[in-house]
Amino acid sequence: MCTWTWGSQVERLTTSASRVSISLLQCASPRPPHALIADIQVTVAGTWHGVHRFHFYESAMLSTVRPLVGPEEGGTIVTLTSKSDHSFRSSAICRFGIELAVGIHLPVANRLACLAPPIGGAAVRHVPIFVSNNGQQFVFSEHHFSYLRRLLITSIWPTSGPADGGTFVRIGGVGFSQRPATLSHLLCKFNVSVVPAIFISAAEIACYSPEV
């Protein structure tokens, strides 16, 4: 049996414990009555064993997750922003579908960055994103991440235009997707100038050249 105590033993709850191995027991945490810090003790045959501190936390409620697309080889830094000011603990991690991803803590308390894992040859390329503060209970972020095939650029036409911009540049290739365009993630870069791209097909996009 596990006993959870809040304050000076004024409030106490018990939950059943199950034996995992000769050196390991497990019990489910109860819903805290008010305070988010409790002392936990294990009772075996009427004998109390140890006192350990357990911290309850509020589940993270996410407001934004960006970006929502990335290459199939992984490596995309995905930033999750919580609706509350202090939602992510130092142990927070992400999960993309069934694949775990290490959490990278940012200076802002309500933001967490996770490195998208590679997808390999998996058939499912549109996976849900989850987040957990303890590596056990995961909360669905209500967002999905799309893995894209590696882009291959085969043609650009025309390759020149007036310095005041406005040239309609068509870019041919393999691996273009409409989802990045829907999310405003499909872009063209002319040196340091970034402009929106127009999705035409899986083999072609286009963009207007900027003024230089």
Side-chain angles (χ1 to χ4, degrees), residues 186-199:
L186 190 61
L187 307 169
C188 293
K189 188 175 182 180
F190 293 77
N191 289 329
V192 297
S193 299
V194 178
V195 296
I198 303 166
F199 177 81

Side-chain angles (χ1 to χ4, degrees), residues 100-192:
L100 294 179
V102 176
I104 305 170
H105 291 271
L106 303 176
V108 182
N110 69 332
R111 288 188 181 180
L112 176 73
C114 288
L115 205 62
I119 195 174
V124 179
R125 311 183 69 84
H126 188 62
V127 299
I129 301 175
F130 301 86
V131 63
S132 172
N133 270 320
N134 65 358
Q136 186 178 120
Q137 280 80 33
F138 283 84
V139 177
F140 176 42
S141 69
E142 300 185 0
H143 296 274
H144 286 73
F145 185 85
S146 296
Y147 284 94
L148 306 177
R149 300 188 185 280
R150 183 186 293 272
L151 289 178
L152 175 64
I153 305 300
T154 57
S155 64
I156 298 177
W157 187 88
T159 57
S160 62
D164 55 356
T167 301
F168 190 70
V169 181
R170 305 177 75 98
I171 302 169
V174 177
F176 296 120
S177 171
Q178 188 170 12
R179 180 161 166 78
T182 302
L183 298 170
S184 300
H185 292 337
L186 190 61
L187 307 169
C188 293
K189 188 175 182 180
F190 293 77
N191 289 329
V192 297

Side-chain angles (χ1 to χ4, degrees), residues 18 24-26 40 53 61 66 69 73 76 78 82 92-93 97 103-105 117 126 141 143 147 149 169 172 174 207:
S18 58
L24 182 64
L25 293 174
Q26 68 178 18
I40 177 174
R53 186 60 54 88
M61 299 295 291
R66 295 178 181 172
V69 295
E73 59 266 28
T76 302
V78 180
S82 170
I93 60 174
I104 305 170
H105 291 271
H126 188 62
S141 69
H143 296 274
Y147 284 94
R149 300 188 185 280
V169 181
V174 177
C207 52

